[in-house]
Amino acid sequence: MPHIEKRTGNVVIRIVYDGAPEAGKTTNLRELVRAMPMQRRSELVAPGTVSRRTEFFDWATFTGGYVDGRRLRCQLVSVPGQPSLLRRRRYLLDTADAVVFVADSRPVAIAQTRDAFARMRELVRRRGGEVPAGVLLQANKQDLEGSLSVAALAEALGAADVPALGAEALRGVGVMQTFITAARLGTERVKELVGRTSWDALGGQSATAEELYAELEALEAELEAPAPSPSEAPPDPAALPPLPGGDHVAEAHVWPLVEGRAIWSELLGGRARHVARAAPWAPPGAIEARVEDQGVVRWLLHTTDAWSFPDAASAKLALITLVRRLRELEPYLPPGRALSLHHDGQSYRIWMVTEAIRSLAECEQDGALAAAQALAAARPRARVHAAPLDAIGVRDGRAYVLCVPDEAAPHELGAFTARAPAG
Ligand SMILES: Nc1nc2c(ncn2[C@@H]2O[C@H](COP(=O)(O)OP(=O)(O)OP(=O)(O)O)[C@@H](O)[C@H]2O)c(=O)[nH]1
Ligand SMILES: [Mg+2]
């Protein structure tokens, strides 16, 4: 919320740099700080962040220009892009007067960018009631070969209605222009708000990086701790369905019959462990367990409450339906994919096993992309829950669909082909 700083009489607005993971948000702020004269800016700080990736936010302030005869101070905040930190990203976006959406302009990043863009717009819209924050698109990484032009990126994102600028943040190109445009959007919002109410009615918000950090910490303490990473703290097994194991698996309840039995008997040694967070391609609401071998994850097991049934008959029917859906994907089923039905003492539950292979998002080599494109072209209408970069797995130059296809899922694999680079 824009406000007047009591001590100085400055008008304060907040510009939030949002975007998909590693789009260049932090780089924008770093290069801006470098370009600004010292007397008009703060240092760049990142409270709570210890790694290269932003964990809470980056923060810097700039003073310059006037609104209604008052000096303007801009708080610049960049969000963490990592999906596991979505709660923080949301909170920060909620405080924006203007949003700079930083996008990696390469076609390989487009699926992730589109997701992030759509989510940001939805959040900005949902804030509702008042004047929405202005949005600006920055087509970053224009220096990289094959990058989409500003216009092509805007079109691919459905962002024709927002101002768009190209940038090479790493070299400082376009970052100042982006900031100036965002500051203009922010001040327009201030004027609109003040026109409707008054300065006094606007309230305020955190004035320093420390205050904002404290807000985020308080929020998270309130909303229980954020999901810990799997290696840190496994979830309480008592609250989760028992892992399949120990019992004999009836032949009729395994698919594919021969291979599936071999896989399950290998896994039935009690080696699987629940983890806190499921892979992005796992079915909605999935519970995940992993089998590790010498510290390397070899197998992933998934189940969901939608795959749990009070009686054997309905469970078998669901198993057959699931098998039919998976078979539609042949020959793109991932290695070691098998299903099995287990009685866990209370209910009948389907578990799915998959060999651990990298998704396209984790392995962006050229060969992988070509294989994924061929797959998407061959299965254009297959619908999946995860964005194609997460949904498609790659191993040894071959691509596989990791997700369970679902008619009602939001992503179509074919849509990815259209936007991936040719060749
Ligand atoms: N070639 C090129 N690389 C860039 C550009 N901008 C950023 N990068 C690189 O992209 C990577 C990610 O940049 P960051 O600024 O850390 O990205 P971020 O959006 O803050 O990432 P998260 O905080 O993890 O979401 C780094 O290796 C940057 O050097 C650019 O314009 N061109
Ligand atoms: Mg960052």
Side-chain angles (χ1 to χ4, degrees):
M1 183 60 80
H3 62 278
I4 292 180
E5 196 174 46
K6 288 212 173 64
R7 191 173 52 83
T8 57
N10 290 342
V11 170
V12 182
I13 64 168
R14 183 171 293 172
I15 301 172
V16 174
Y17 282 67
D18 182 57
E22 308 214 67
K25 304 175 287 293
T26 299
T27 308
N28 259 273
L29 261 56
R30 200 177 50 228
E31 291 306 311
L32 250 186
V33 165
R34 204 200 297 270
M36 287 271 186
M38 284 231 314
Q39 58 279 16
R40 288 180 50 195
R41 62 161 172 87
S42 71
E43 292 299 324
L44 179 65
V45 292
T49 290
V50 292
S51 69
R52 182 180 65 80
R53 310 286 304 275
T54 306
E55 290 168 48
F56 284 84
F57 56 87
D58 303 296
W59 167 286
T61 60
F62 297 103
T63 310
Y66 291 87
V67 187
D68 272 358
R70 291 173 182 276
R71 200 95 170 112
L72 175 68
R73 185 202 295 285
C74 296
Q75 299 176 341
L76 269 67
V77 174
S78 85
V79 311
Q82 300 179 65
S84 58
L85 303 176
L86 181 64
R87 186 186 287 165
R88 294 175 188 164
R89 179 179 164 216
R90 247 195 224 136
Y91 181 82
L92 295 167
L93 266 175
D94 245 0
T95 68
D97 294 306
V99 177
V100 173
F101 185 85
V102 181
D104 183 330
S105 306
R106 289 174 303 163
V108 71
I110 196 79
Q112 237 185 352
T113 305
R114 196 181 301 113
D115 281 357
F117 187 75
R119 208 186 278 259
M120 178 275 294
R121 295 213 87 174
E122 179 57 26
L123 284 171
V124 169
R125 225 187 334 258
R126 265 214 310 247
R127 226 167 125 198
E130 20 141 8
V131 185
V135 173
L136 161 66
L137 170 66
Q138 184 194 67
N140 190 31
K141 306 199 185 182
Q142 287 290 310
D143 57 305
L144 294 180
E145 209 179 311
S147 281
L148 296 177
S149 68
V150 179
L153 181 71
E155 197 192 325
L157 297 180
D161 57 324
V162 305
L165 293 166
E168 298 168 23
L170 195 56
R171 295 200 295 128
V173 176
V175 295
M176 187 60 81
Q177 196 53 41
T178 299
F179 164 63
I180 291 168
T181 311
R184 185 174 51 72
L185 292 176
T187 49
E188 277 168 12
R189 175 166 194 260
V190 174
K191 287 179 185 162
E192 178 87 28
L193 282 171
V194 173
R196 293 179 182 208
T197 54
S198 68
W199 279 112
D200 293 339
L202 286 183
Q205 67 183 0
S206 36
T208 63
E210 290 70 29
E211 276 179 39
L212 180 58
Y213 183 57
E215 272 171 29
L216 279 174
E217 283 205 314
L219 172 87
E220 289 180 2
E222 217 173 276
L223 294 170
E224 93 226 330
S229 85
S231 54
E232 284 161 7
D236 176 12
L240 293 166
L243 289 163
D247 307 324
H248 174 73
V249 183
E251 285 197 358
H253 298 169
V254 181
W255 173 84
L257 207 56
V258 177
E259 210 187 319
R261 275 179 67 79
I263 292 167
W264 282 105
S265 57
E266 183 183 333
L267 294 175
L268 294 182
R271 293 192 295 143
R273 298 278 172 270
H274 280 297
V275 294
R277 217 177 304 137
W281 54 262
I287 297 162
E288 179 171 304
R290 297 181 183 176
V291 176
E292 289 190 9
D293 192 11
Q294 296 176 347
V296 179
V297 181
R298 301 284 180 200
W299 298 94
L300 301 182
L301 278 74
H302 291 109
T303 185
T304 96
D305 287 343
W307 293 357
S308 167
F309 304 88
D311 61 280
S314 47
K316 266 189 255 178
L317 191 61
L319 183 69
I320 292 164
T321 311
L322 203 50
V323 167
R324 198 179 300 138
R325 271 205 259 151
L326 285 175
R327 293 192 73 164
E328 281 166 19
L329 289 178
E330 277 173 333
Y332 298 106
L333 286 175
R337 170 62 53 85
L339 295 171
S340 163
L341 190 58
H342 299 261
H343 188 246
D344 63 20
Q346 289 182 341
S347 57
Y348 294 83
R349 186 177 276 281
I350 298 171
W351 281 88
M352 178 173 81
V353 60
T354 315
E355 254 182 74
I357 68 172
R358 282 171 188 277
S359 70
L360 197 57
E362 296 164 314
C363 124
E364 293 175 1
Q365 329 124 3
D366 294 346
L369 186 60
Q373 276 179 279
L375 179 161
R379 288 288 183 276
R381 277 179 300 281
R383 304 202 74 95
V384 291
H385 278 281
L389 286 179
D390 288 318
I392 298 177
V394 181
R395 177 188 279 176
D396 300 333
R398 283 200 58 188
Y400 304 93
V401 181
L402 296 168
C403 293
V404 177
D406 178 355
E407 301 265 287
H411 301 276
E412 208 171 59
L413 290 179
F416 163 69
T417 323
R419 289 177 183 93

